[in-house]
Amino acid sequence: MKKFPIALQLYSVRDRVARDFEGTLAEVSALGYDGVEFAGLYGKTAGEVKALCEKYSLIPLSAHIPFVEMMKDPMGVMQTYAEIGCRYAVIPYLSDEYRPGKDLFNEVIKGAEMLGGVAKEKGMTLLYHNHDFEFKRIDGKYALDVLYESVSSDLLQTELDLCWVKVGGEEPESYLRKYAGRAPVVHFKDFSGKIGGKMYALIGIEDDTAASSDFSFRPLGMGCQNIPALLAAAEDAGAQWIVVEQDDPSDGLTTIECAKKSIACLQSYM
C-alpha cells in the first residue's frame, strides 16, 4: 500500500495551539507528522509561521479559512497563506445561510470559482471540505456534486472528509473513488455510535437537534471506519496527502494523545 505523507489538522489540537503555538508544532513533529493544516494563525504573522514550520520540519500543507473571510479580502488572505508556503486553501464549513437549500448557496458556487482563480494566481489550489449537509439533494443531485460540477477542476478540487461523507449517507470508499484525479488531500476521521443529533455541538457549533447518547469522534482505528479500505480508495483516487482530523477527543484521551494514536494507526498499514 502506498506510503502517504500525513498531516494533522491543527483544529484537532486547538486547545494546545491556543496556549502554545510553537510547542504544539514541536509535539506534532515529534509524533511523526509530515505536515500541518491550519485552522487560524493565532496572531502569528505569515513569516513567523513559515519559520516555525521550517524549524520543526513540517510542511505547511493547507489552511482552513472561513468562506466569508476569504470573500472579504481574497487577494490579501491568499497572499498571507502563500507567504507561509501553503499549497492549498480550503473552504472548511458553511454557516446556515450559505448551505444548500438556501439562496446564498449560489453565492458559494460563484465565490468558489472566483476564489479558485485567486488561489491559482498565488500558486495554490482551492479545496472544499465537506460536512454532511452538502448531501442535501438539489434537483436530484447531491449539493456537493452540484458544486463540483459547477466549478471546473482547475479552480476547485476536493478535500473529502470521510467521516462526514458516511454521516451524509454515502460509502466513503466509493464516493472518494468517484472523484479520482480531483482528490489531492483527504480527511481521515473515525467515529463510533449512532449517527444523528448533537454531532455539531461536539465541535463547538450550536446544535438544536435531538441528542444522540453515544456518538463520538475517535482516533483512527478506534471507531467504525475501515482504515485499510479507505487507504486503498485514497490510493485509487490519486490522493497525495492524508490529513488526520478529530473534532473532539474521546475515551479520556487528550487531544495530542488522540493525534498520536491516529498516526500510529495509519503507519501500521503503510
Side-chain angles (χ1 to χ4, degrees), residues 1-6 162 172-173 176-177 186-188 220 225-244 262-270:
M1 190 172 288
K2 177 179 176 178
K3 184 175 174 61
F4 289 97
I6 305 168
L162 301 181
E173 298 91 344
L176 177 54
R177 287 187 174 96
V186 183
H187 262 215
F188 272 47
L220 298 180
Q225 297 276 51
N226 185 334
I227 303 304
L230 295 181
L231 285 168
E235 185 171 359
D236 290 346
Q240 300 300 308
W241 277 81
I242 300 299
V243 175
V244 168
S262 286
I263 193 172
C265 172
L266 288 174
Q267 290 172 335
S268 72
Y269 292 114
M270 290 194 285

Side-chain angles (χ1 to χ4, degrees), residues 9 36-40 60-71 77-78 81 86-94 112 115-116 119 124-131 148 155-161 184-187 243 245:
Q9 166 49 260
V36 289
E37 181 173 71
F38 299 103
L61 178 68
S62 48
H64 279 195
I65 313 163
F67 176 69
V68 292
E69 180 181 329
M70 285 195 277
M71 291 297 291
V77 169
M78 295 298 182
Y81 288 96
C86 290
R87 303 173 186 181
Y88 304 97
V90 189
I91 300 172
Y93 179 79
L94 298 176
L115 293 170
M124 297 185 294
T125 299
L126 184 70
L127 307 179
Y128 184 89
H129 169 269
N130 64 279
H131 288 75
Y148 290 129
L155 296 177
L156 180 68
Q157 300 211 346
T158 74
E159 184 179 63
L160 294 177
D161 184 303
V185 181
V186 183
H187 262 215
V243 175
E245 183 178 45

Side-chain angles (χ1 to χ4, degrees), residues 80-251:
T80 294
Y81 288 96
E83 288 176 8
I84 291 170
C86 290
R87 303 173 186 181
Y88 304 97
V90 189
I91 300 172
Y93 179 79
L94 298 176
S95 53
D96 184 71
E97 66 271 24
Y98 288 100
R99 293 181 186 179
K102 304 295 178 68
D103 290 342
L104 289 180
F105 184 65
N106 289 327
E107 296 303 313
V108 174
I109 294 174
K110 295 176 185 177
E113 186 169 33
M114 181 273 290
L115 293 170
V118 178
K120 189 174 183 179
E121 182 180 330
K122 297 295 182 180
M124 297 185 294
T125 299
L126 184 70
L127 307 179
Y128 184 89
H129 169 269
N130 64 279
H131 288 75
D132 62 325
F133 51 76
E134 294 91 348
F135 289 89
K136 180 182 177 71
R137 292 189 183 273
I138 299 176
D139 296 327
K141 296 181 179 180
Y142 289 136
L144 190 58
D145 293 332
V146 171
L147 173 65
Y148 290 129
E149 289 173 5
S150 301
V151 185
S152 64
S153 60
D154 66 316
L155 296 177
L156 180 68
Q157 300 211 346
T158 74
E159 184 179 63
L160 294 177
D161 184 303
L162 301 181
C163 163
W164 291 115
V165 169
K166 192 162 188 172
V167 171
E170 280 290 326
E171 284 303 315
E173 298 91 344
S174 59
Y175 197 77
L176 177 54
R177 287 187 174 96
K178 175 180 178 177
Y179 282 101
R182 199 174 178 177
V185 181
V186 183
H187 262 215
F188 272 47
K189 183 185 298 177
D190 213 342
F191 67 98
S192 67
K194 183 179 179 181
I195 292 173
K198 300 300 182 185
M199 291 181 292
Y200 284 88
L202 291 174
I203 57 177
I205 296 167
E206 187 174 341
D207 188 341
D208 60 3
T209 57
S212 175
S213 60
D214 63 349
F215 181 90
S216 63
F217 297 107
R218 297 292 182 90
L220 298 180
M222 297 180 68
C224 67
Q225 297 276 51
N226 185 334
I227 303 304
L230 295 181
L231 285 168
E235 185 171 359
D236 290 346
Q240 300 300 308
W241 277 81
I242 300 299
V243 175
V244 168
E245 183 178 45
Q246 185 172 341
D247 302 70
D248 193 59
S250 56
D251 297 322

Side-chain angles (χ1 to χ4, degrees), residues 2-18:
K2 177 179 176 178
K3 184 175 174 61
F4 289 97
I6 305 168
L8 180 67
Q9 166 49 260
L10 292 177
Y11 185 78
S12 307
V13 290
R14 57 193 178 278
D15 59 327
R16 305 177 86 87
V17 179

